[in-house]
Structures are given as structure tokens and as C-alpha cells.
Amino acid sequence: MAWWQFLIFFFAGLTFLMFMGVPVAIAFLVVNMVGVFMLWGGFNGFNQLILSIDSSISTFYLVPIPMFILMGTLMFYSGIAPRMIKVIDQWLGFISGRLAVLTVGAGAALATLTGVAMGSVAMLGSTLTPEMEKHGYSRSLSIGPVLGSGALAILIPPSTLAIVLASVGGFSVAKTLVAIVAPGILLAIMYVLYILIRVKLRPHEAPAYHVPHVPLGAKVKDTVLYLLPPLSIVVLVIAFIFFGWATPTESAAIGTFLTFLLMVAYGKANLANLKTAVGQATQLSVMILMILTGSAAFSQLLSFSGATSAITTLATTLPVEPVILMLLMMLIVIVIGMFIEQTSIVLVTIPIFLPIINAMGWDPIWFAVIMMVNLELATITPPAGLSLFVMKGVAPAGTTMTDIYWAALPFIMINILLMVILILFPPIALWLPSFM
């Protein structure tokens, strides 16, 4: 079988199974098993497949995945998130388009708690979207910021997807987590600037209304009690990684333990909350690790079929500038992201892109950051971005998918603009890791 025939078979089989509703992890395993049978000598090849599966998940650097997920679920199910949103709201009472800006601020804060875009969209969409519509906000402005800020959960550490990407690509997990800090903050600022400009130009989309006055003392007290502690845990985790005081695995364990102590301090460490948080974390961790089992086998099959060397040769001999090649790769990811979820995108594309990255001499951390922005974009890209369907489920009655698609469009363009900026100006992504 020629390498191009193998690629056609793999992607056609994977697409067919996913459209049939087969879970991603099972679809990857089935297609890999067929590929192993055809390329590795029938049933004897399954022994190697088992070894590949074992080696892909029996590694120490994957331990932060369940730890960070548990850290997020402990915070999420202990009632910390609603209190944080309330505190942020108290400080934004004087801003035009206050609720839309609050959505971005709350999304950035929730990003440090959940690490899952759909969870943030569900919470923000069910609480803030009806509030915005009640105060006369346009439907687009009441939905768009929720979609955009919910996706920040992928880009702002601690990000499980960043660990998956670094693990599959063989990049430094610590540097990848640190490198996405600046782009995540920059993207949130770009969202806020867009909202402020839009409200200034089209004030009827966010009518002014009376906001109850909150005394400064009450604001400071609530900030110290309910905002600083959870954010301090996240900052401490990143600081441990940044300064090399602890590995990402150790930092994740410390962060999870401190989160548990915070639950105890808030009086939320009851059996029901702990059971729900641990159960949800276990479910998400198993799902991600099952998907990861297909990565090593797929990479080996690519090499065995000759696809890796052929694609590398083709990419390095194209008569285009390297920046054009990068743009083409990101365009491919955008198109794929319209139909499948982020972890699957990583497993499909990184084994193909990695030889090109090495051949072109690109900094892998720079590429990882650009890729992370693109993966964030995939959550809100029509027609099949997962956050779009979550938003439909929690949006006010009468909201159509067309309304949601149009609301997402400006934030899709902002994400693409950030990708272009990062491609043209690599130091934005690399300056923070350079101090490690």
C-alpha cells in the first residue's frame, strides 16, 4: 500500500466511524487495528500495537492530566465559580457593556478552574446570557462573548489540552504551559477591546441601566475571600513550573491539594461534592487517555507506510516561504476543526506536522502556542464546534443555530488575528519561557 493510499484509508475510515457515532477513542483504535493488520503482517502486528498503547500512556509526564482535571472539578463543584463571577461583577459596574465585559472576565477566571470550554460556556451561557437579554443586549452580543470567553479555558493554564499536545509532540510540558499564558491574556484583552469598541459604535446593542452601588469595603472583602484564593492557587502552580521549583506533575498535585484545602475552608468539602468532582475527573481523564492510546500507533504506521518522509520532502521542497507553509498548516487545522474535537485534531495532525516542524527548524514551543490558539478556535467554529451546541442547549428560548453562528463570527476572526500575530511575531509566545 502506497503512503497516500494509507492516508486516504485512515482518514476515510476515521471519518466514517465518527459520523456513525462511534466514540473517538474506539474509532482511532479500530482504524489503527486495521492498519496494523494490513501493514505489520496480520495478527502478529497486534503484539506491537499493544506495546505502542502501553508506552503511550505509561509515562510520568501524563500524570498532570488527571491531576489538573481533578483540581478543576474540585473548584467547579464547590461553588467557587459563581462567587468569583459575583466579585468580578462588583468591580465592573461603571463600564459600558458591563455584562459582556464581565463575561470575558468571568471566562478568563473560569479558565483557571475548569480547563474545559464546554463547562465554561454552559455556566456563563445559563447565567449571564439571560441577564444580558433581560437588560436589552442584542442577541449577538449576549451570545458571542460567552462563546469566545468559554474557549479561553483551553488557552489559559492549567490546560489539559496543552499537556496532551506537548506529550504527543514530544515538546516540553512545562514550557508549553508557561508559553500560553501571554497569548491567553492577550486574547482576553482583544475580546474586551472589541466589545468596548462595538458598544461605543452601536450603543443600542448594550443599553445602559442602573447598577446598584457596592461599598468599596465590601468589594475588597469579597475579593480577598472569594477571588484571590483560587487565583492564587493557579498563579502558584504556574510559578512552581516557571521557576523550576517543581515539575508539572508535582505542581499539579500541589494545586489539587491546595484546592481541597480551599474547599474545606469554604465548608464545601462534603461527600456529595467530592464524589461528583472525583467522578467527573475520572470520566474526563479516562476519555483523554483512551484517545491518547492511538497516538503512538498512528505515528508508527505513518513512518512504516512512508507517509512521514514523503510529506516532509513535499513540504520542504514547496516553492513558498516558511511563513506561507505555516499558514497552510494552520488552515488545514481550521478546516478539520469544523468537524472534529480538539484532542482528535492533535492526534491526527501532530504526527504529520512534527517532521515538518523539525525539518524547517521551527521552535516547537512557538508552534505549540499557535496550535493551541487554533484548537481553541475549533470549539466555536461552525458547523460542529462543540461549544456551539452547548450554547444552543442553554440559550434563551427562540435562539437558533444561525443566531449562534453569527454571534461566534467576530470572535472567530479575533482568534485568527491572534494566530497571524503569533506567526509574524514569535517573541510574543517565546519571551516568557525564555526566562525559565
Side-chain angles (χ1 to χ4, degrees), residues 27 33 59 76 83 106 141 165 169 193 201 240 254 286 303 320 370 386 436:
M33 288 179 66
T59 52
F76 195 77
R83 290 175 174 176
L141 192 59
L165 175 61
L193 290 176
L201 297 177
F240 271 114
I254 293 170
V286 170
S303 298
V320 296
I370 299 169
L386 294 179
M436 294 177 66

Side-chain angles (χ1 to χ4, degrees), residues 6 10 28-29 31-33 35-36 39-40 45 48-56 291-305 347 351:
F6 168 73
F10 183 89
F28 255 100
L29 179 61
V31 176
N32 276 329
M33 288 179 66
V36 165
L39 296 178
W40 288 357
Q48 180 59 40
L49 177 63
I50 293 172
L51 293 175
S52 298
I53 290 174
D54 178 66
S55 64
S56 65
I291 294 174
L292 277 174
T293 58
S295 175
F298 179 46
S299 299
Q300 292 176 3
L301 288 172
L302 278 178
S303 298
F304 193 86
S305 68
L347 300 189

Side-chain angles (χ1 to χ4, degrees), residues 135-297:
H135 288 288
Y137 280 57
S138 68
R139 177 150 292 180
S140 175
L141 192 59
S142 63
I143 293 175
V146 173
L147 294 171
S149 57
L152 288 172
I154 290 176
L155 196 57
I156 294 180
S159 170
T160 301
L161 189 61
I163 300 172
V164 172
L165 175 61
S167 303
V168 173
F171 311 146
S172 166
V173 173
K175 288 190 174 183
T176 302
L177 286 172
V178 171
I180 60 177
V181 172
I185 295 173
L186 178 59
L187 184 60
I189 292 172
M190 292 170 69
Y191 284 165
V192 170
L193 290 176
Y194 164 74
I195 291 170
L196 294 177
I197 294 172
R198 178 172 173 174
V199 171
K200 184 70 175 178
L201 297 177
R202 301 168 63 88
H204 62 279
E205 291 200 77
Y209 64 95
H210 174 70
V211 178
H213 174 71
V214 179
L216 179 60
K219 292 180 184 179
V220 174
K221 178 182 177 183
D222 288 347
T223 300
V224 171
L225 288 177
Y226 303 122
L227 185 61
L228 290 183
L231 293 184
S232 296
I233 292 176
V234 176
V235 171
L236 189 63
V237 168
I238 297 172
F240 271 114
I241 297 173
F242 180 84
F243 292 108
W245 297 336
T247 66
T249 299
E250 294 163 346
S251 300
I254 293 170
T256 304
F257 177 68
L258 292 177
T259 301
F260 174 73
L261 293 182
L262 190 61
M263 284 185 69
V264 174
Y266 286 158
K268 297 291 184 177
N270 55 61
L271 183 60
N273 286 340
L274 290 174
K275 183 179 178 180
T276 304
V278 173
Q280 184 72 11
T282 303
Q283 181 180 348
L284 289 172
S285 300
V286 170
M287 179 189 70
I288 292 173
L289 292 175
M290 283 187 66
I291 294 174
L292 277 174
T293 58
S295 175

Side-chain angles (χ1 to χ4, degrees), residues 315-337:
T316 54
T317 55
L318 282 175
V320 296
E321 293 294 324
V323 66
I324 301 299
L325 182 60
M326 174 66 82
L327 290 172
L328 289 174
M329 292 165 68
M330 290 302 108
L331 180 60
I332 291 171
V333 175
I334 289 174
V335 174
I336 296 175

